[in-house]
Amino acid sequence: MTNLCTTLSSSCSNTSPFIFSVQPLKLYNATRKKHRSRNFMLKMCSSIPQNATVVGCGSLSVDFLATVAAYPKPDDKIRTTTLKVQGGGNAGNALTCLARLGLNTRIISKIADDSQGRGILDELRADGVDTSFLVVSEEGTSPFTYIIVDNETKTRTCIHTPGYPPMIPQDLSESSLVSALDGASIAYFDGRLYETALVVAHEAARKNIPILIDAERPREGLDDLLKLADYVVCSAKFPKAWTEASTVPQALVSILLRLPNVKFVTVTLGKDGCLMLERSVNGTSKCPSVEDVDVDNLLKSLELRKDKSASIPTCISSSVAKLKAEGIGTVTGKLYIGTAESIPPSELIDTTGAGDAFIGAVIYGRCQVQRSRSSKWSSIRCTLCIIYSVDFLALSQYKRRDVFIGIFK
């Protein structure tokens, strides 16, 4: 999606106000700038999953992204180097990513009939996201987020203000709910709007629609959503925070034990890529001789197999094993490491929304598996969801982060 507006501040004098340009920017041309490492073969899945429809329920917002030279100390007064106002929200970002990858997308959320809400609506429609099930309140305010982008560390700090009035289940009629889920390939929830999300999730489960949950951090109602999940994608901090396990691998084992319906759980690790634990569908019935392995030791052994000189992302997987977590329990499955390309700081913009883009790529890959009629995620050999927060291709999010997503086979 295009920017709602762009603000230029670097050329302003100390007394000059910010100058807003309200003309939407055009999308970058994919050939405008070549990334230094695009010399490796990128293969999108052989074809776009035909008729795949993703229904997402969650947050939309307007993001005010203030880039600063370095994060301010308490009581500091500093100036931005740039200020951008763009569409945001986890669900909005992920669904726009999927729409740009060619899938049908529908969003269930709520905004107000104010200038910010209308801007959000216009951007979603421009990218082909179906907004038929978006509730628009005649009064109130749309959600917005202040984001401080630290140019020194390439990190971001988000300060969110929810919209008002909040979305409630009664905002979504039964007929709209049925229509929204009609023909859906997968339902995605970012953990917000939990009362409405639970209603949608229960209906999706009743219809045997696979459910993916974005577990960014512990929130009200998230535990109830997770009980309905088929797939979980976590932020780096969530697994240990939710399970109180001492290590991430142990936490992943705990998650699969606590959520018996979950087929895989993935944790994003920023520049270090991702880690995924996949449950073995057949348990030990077809592999009675699988060995018992400490999951922490297994991760260490997989880490040793990394090729640090490799210029492309890789997938490293274990064989099926009984993965033990001390004091927690055992799960039969496979552990995967997905590495990420090392990108020079000079090529980074910031990481805003990169996790949402990652989820978009995971959902895209899952729809491709469904299309191939395969029963296992791992049947797509070494499937990687690679996220590059680089100024390369306006493919993901409805932000101008220009995140590039690759599904590798």
Side-chain angles (χ1 to χ4, degrees):
M1 284 187 172
T2 54
N3 288 341
L4 297 179
C5 64
T6 299
T7 309
L8 305 176
S9 62
S10 58
S11 61
C12 297
S13 67
N14 289 338
T15 58
S16 298
F18 285 117
I19 301 172
F20 285 81
S21 169
V22 295
Q23 294 183 350
L25 299 175
K26 295 180 180 179
L27 290 176
Y28 288 147
N29 187 301
T31 60
R32 183 180 67 84
K33 180 180 178 180
K34 292 188 176 180
H35 190 268
R36 64 172 181 88
S37 64
R38 296 286 87 80
N39 55 347
F40 62 81
M41 180 66 72
L42 168 67
K43 296 200 302 179
M44 296 301 290
C45 292
S46 56
S47 63
I48 294 172
Q50 296 295 316
N51 302 318
T53 298
V54 180
V55 178
C57 178
S59 64
L60 291 171
S61 76
V62 172
D63 286 357
F64 297 85
L65 295 104
T67 302
V68 297
Y71 193 84
K73 297 177 181 179
D75 210 32
D76 268 0
K77 290 184 178 181
I78 62 174
R79 293 181 65 86
T80 62
T81 56
T82 61
L83 175 64
K84 296 179 181 178
V85 185
Q86 303 170 344
N90 294 35
N93 290 341
L95 290 176
T96 298
C97 161
L98 287 161
R100 292 184 179 183
L101 287 169
L103 273 62
N104 302 312
T105 57
R106 303 167 186 162
I107 188 160
I108 298 172
S109 190
K110 186 173 184 176
I111 57 175
D113 186 19
D114 53 9
S115 60
Q116 294 176 169
R118 289 189 289 273
I120 291 171
L121 194 60
D122 289 344
E123 291 198 38
L124 289 170
R125 287 172 174 169
D127 275 304
V129 178
D130 186 346
T131 60
S132 302
F133 310 101
L134 189 62
V135 177
V136 181
S137 173
E138 294 182 0
E139 299 179 348
T141 57
S142 296
F144 62 92
T145 304
Y146 292 112
I147 301 174
I148 302 172
V149 180
D150 184 342
N151 206 37
E152 183 177 49
T153 62
K154 303 298 181 182
T155 58
R156 86 289 183 271
T157 301
C158 302
I159 307 169
H160 180 66
T161 300
Y164 184 83
M167 189 170 193
I168 57 176
Q170 290 77 13
D171 287 332
L172 187 67
S173 67
E174 184 176 350
S175 60
S176 292
L177 174 60
V178 171
S179 297
L181 293 173
D182 183 41
S185 307
I186 191 167
Y188 152 65
F189 302 87
D190 68 7
R192 272 83 164 187
L193 314 177
Y194 76 93
E195 292 178 325
T196 301
L198 276 172
V199 172
V200 179
H202 276 292
E203 181 65 15
R206 191 183 70 81
K207 292 176 175 288
N208 295 317
I209 299 170
I211 293 172
L212 184 143
I213 304 295
D214 171 9
E216 186 178 44
R217 62 180 177 84
R219 336 174 164 267
E220 187 176 9
L222 180 60
D223 286 11
D224 292 329
L225 279 172
L226 287 171
K227 292 174 184 176
L228 300 169
D230 296 283
Y231 314 101
V232 179
V233 178
C234 308
S235 66
K237 296 179 180 179
F238 179 84
K240 290 168 64 175
W242 194 64
T243 64
E244 298 183 350
S246 58
T247 68
V248 171
Q250 289 183 18
L252 298 186
V253 170
S254 179
I255 289 172
L256 289 193
L257 289 173
R258 291 172 62 175
L259 304 173
N261 294 325
V262 169
K263 297 176 178 63
F264 71 71
V265 55
T266 301
V267 56
T268 58
L269 301 172
K271 63 182 179 60
D272 295 320
C274 64
L275 185 65
M276 182 174 86
L277 179 56
E278 178 192 33
R279 190 192 305 275
S280 176
V281 175
N282 298 311
T284 58
S285 60
K286 291 189 176 182
C287 304
S289 62
V290 296
E291 60 179 331
D292 289 12
V293 181
D294 180 84
V295 69
D296 288 320
N297 290 336
L298 179 59
L299 177 59
K300 291 176 183 177
S301 69
L302 294 180
E303 293 278 1
L304 293 175
R305 290 166 53 187
K306 283 185 179 179
D307 182 357
K308 295 182 180 179
S309 64
S311 61
I312 64 172
T314 57
C315 178
I316 304 167
S317 78
S318 73
S319 57
V320 175
K322 296 178 182 177
L323 305 176
K324 298 188 301 182
E326 189 67 30
I328 297 173
T330 302
V331 168
T332 302
K334 296 177 71 173
L335 190 66
Y336 298 78
I337 291 177
T339 65
E341 180 188 7
S342 178
I343 302 174
S346 61
E347 296 186 23
L348 289 172
I349 299 177
D350 69 70
T351 59
T352 307
D356 305 327
F358 184 93
I359 286 174
V362 170
I363 293 173
Y364 184 96
R366 185 63 190 85
C367 290
Q368 185 69 18
V369 172
Q370 284 180 304
R371 179 179 177 273
S372 66
R373 296 183 181 180
S374 171
S375 63
K376 292 185 66 179
W377 170 264
S378 58
S379 65
I380 290 189
R381 191 175 65 259
C382 293
T383 300
L384 301 179
C385 306
I386 310 303
I387 313 304
Y388 298 122
S389 290
V390 297
D391 181 12
F392 179 63
L393 180 64
L395 181 62
S396 162
Q397 311 174 270
Y398 60 114
K399 301 178 173 304
R400 294 303 293 274
R401 293 306 96 221
D402 297 359
V403 176
F404 178 72
I405 293 131
I407 306 294
F408 288 76
K409 288 178 67 178

